[in-house]
Amino acid sequence: MSQAIGNTALAYVRAWHLVDAKQRILGRMAANIATTLMGKHKPIYDPASDCGDYVVVINSKEVAVTGKKAEQKVYRHHSGYPGGLKTISYKIMLEKKPDEIIRKAVSGMLPKNRLRYRRLNRLFIFPDDKHPYEKNILKSYDYTLNELSLPDKVEKIQDKSKNQDKKSKKNKSKKFSSPENIDNGKNKSVKENISDNVKKDKQNKSIEIQI
């Protein structure tokens, strides 16, 4: 077997991935995008080699954040001159430059080295569904937040609890209707019948004696 399988041109082919950012959590999505840009999902991954893939992100306007980040998150940049610090809130950035939100999040999760800008150049972000790379896409990730919403999880938990209650009731009914319990019941009924017969015999004997 050849020992140069990992160095072949086929191993370093760059695939195109499509990510739908509609109602997806910004942090988790950015982490997965950074992993794909770095090539960590490939067996040939090497920190010093640029073996990542291309990523196309659509619907960047509808990206979601958790907690109060939509109200509290702020982006800062400095011009380099005294008093040149400028801040932009998350809401304003989402209206004016929604692609920069995802780009900054992914940039913060990539290693700070010379390969950082090469990897970011393979990231293409679009605010809508339209993009010019439809023929290049090989894999698409379009799982939305609505499909993994909390009410569904709550309903599943409730269903599980109901099933557990039903199983416990069945087990209790089985215990009460077990053969041992049935035999005990039969024995009790037999004993009661015998005692009733004995009482009747005593009563008959007493009646005969009186007569």
Side-chain angles (χ1 to χ4, degrees):
M1 182 183 288
S2 175
Q3 297 180 357
I5 294 174
N7 296 325
T8 58
L10 186 62
Y12 281 88
V13 171
R14 300 187 191 277
W16 287 72
H17 302 260
L18 178 65
V19 179
D20 190 355
K22 186 176 181 180
Q23 294 299 315
R24 293 194 67 182
I25 303 301
L26 176 63
R28 294 177 183 178
M29 183 182 66
N32 294 329
I33 292 171
T35 300
T36 306
L37 293 174
M38 293 166 60
K40 272 191 171 182
H41 60 291
K42 296 181 179 181
I44 60 168
Y45 170 71
D46 182 30
S49 64
D50 190 15
C51 58
D53 294 340
Y54 292 91
V55 179
V56 179
V57 182
I58 59 174
N59 293 324
S60 62
K61 286 183 178 181
E62 302 181 15
V63 68
V65 290
T66 58
K68 297 181 180 180
K69 294 185 182 70
E71 300 174 357
Q72 298 177 354
K73 191 172 179 62
V74 176
Y75 295 93
R76 299 182 177 90
H77 66 277
H78 203 285
S79 63
Y81 293 94
L85 179 64
K86 296 182 180 180
T87 59
I88 302 174
S89 63
Y90 176 83
K91 290 183 178 179
I92 296 173
M93 184 73 83
L94 188 63
E95 293 176 359
K96 292 183 177 181
K97 297 180 180 180
D99 55 337
E100 285 298 319
I101 292 175
I102 299 174
R103 193 177 299 278
K104 287 180 179 294
V106 174
S107 177
M109 295 182 183
L110 289 172
K112 281 66 178 175
N113 52 24
R114 294 181 180 179
L115 298 175
R116 187 183 191 184
Y117 295 103
R118 288 187 187 178
R119 290 164 175 167
L120 285 175
N121 288 333
R122 292 197 303 273
L123 177 62
F124 304 96
I125 306 170
F126 300 93
D128 300 327
D129 296 334
K130 297 179 181 180
H131 62 92
Y133 305 106
E134 294 180 358
K135 296 181 179 179
N136 299 337
I137 301 300
L138 293 177
K139 296 181 180 180
S140 62
Y141 305 92
D142 55 353
Y143 298 104
T144 59
L145 184 65
N146 295 327
E147 295 178 0
L148 303 174
S149 58
L150 292 175
D152 295 336
K153 293 182 180 179
V154 172
E155 289 178 359
K156 289 180 181 178
I157 293 169
Q158 290 177 354
D159 293 336
K160 287 183 180 179
S161 62
K162 288 180 181 178
N163 293 328
Q164 289 177 357
D165 293 336
K166 288 180 181 179
K167 288 181 180 179
S168 62
K169 288 180 180 179
K170 287 182 180 179
N171 293 328
K172 287 181 181 179
S173 63
K174 286 181 181 178
K175 288 181 181 179
F176 287 116
S177 62
S178 60
E180 296 178 356
N181 294 331
I182 292 169
D183 294 336
N184 292 330
K186 288 182 179 178
N187 293 329
K188 286 181 181 179
S189 62
V190 170
K191 289 179 181 179
E192 289 177 356
N193 292 328
I194 292 169
S195 62
D196 292 335
N197 292 328
V198 170
K199 287 180 181 179
K200 286 180 181 179
D201 293 337
K202 287 181 180 180
Q203 288 178 359
N204 293 329
K205 286 181 181 179
S206 63
I207 290 167
E208 289 176 356
I209 293 167
Q210 288 177 4
I211 291 169

